[in-house]
Amino acid sequence: MVAVRKSSFSGMTVAEFLDWNGDGTDTRYELVNGEPRAMAPASITHCILQSTVARLIGNHLADRAPGCHVVTAPGVQPRVRSSHNMRIPDLGVTCTPDERGLRTLPDPVLLIEILSPSNEAEIWENVWTYTTLPSVREILVLWTAGIGAELLRRQADGSWPESPLVIMADDVLGLESIGYEVPLHTLYAGTHLLRLPD
């Protein structure tokens, strides 16, 4: 990801960002401290992982929590400098009903980022901004360099742990925020990281 550095973007607000038509290309952006930051096109592994996780979580929610839904690449407005920040996680889950005109994800309970070596700094910067949202109970970071994940879960006193829980391929991933458990490697079906037999 590369920040766009033009004086006309200095101090852009979320309202201005939502009405901005971009730079005339298909480049996607998120707003970081008043400055649009370009988001590089995702790898195919990233895209397969994102769509598989969305499908599995979506199916789970349809069966167990029909009032909740998973959203792909939602706009999330952190509480820190909220008027100048809109981050774009790969997936988010909310149990707040959809309403006409919503442009940011209301009250997310779970946010998911997919990490590649090229976006590590930006992803972890986003993760720490997500912890400022009082509705967020868990933040999951999935790896693309191998089968693995890191999970941050808000503690009973409202604080966040110093370090995430590391989950490896053969471990069961438990997402308490949505009552979902799955062997982690299941999320990687169809990727080069987990070739299933024909």
Side-chain angles (χ1 to χ4, degrees), residues 87-99:
R87 308 302 171 95
I88 314 292
D90 289 294
L91 297 166
V93 173
T94 183
C95 297
T96 300
D98 181 34
E99 294 180 9

Side-chain angles (χ1 to χ4, degrees), residues 4 6 9 12 16-29 36:
V4 174
K6 294 183 180 178
F9 295 149
M12 184 182 278
E16 292 168 336
F17 177 70
L18 289 171
D19 290 334
W20 180 53
N21 290 325
D23 61 0
T25 70
D26 291 334
T27 305
R28 293 176 56 230
Y29 290 88

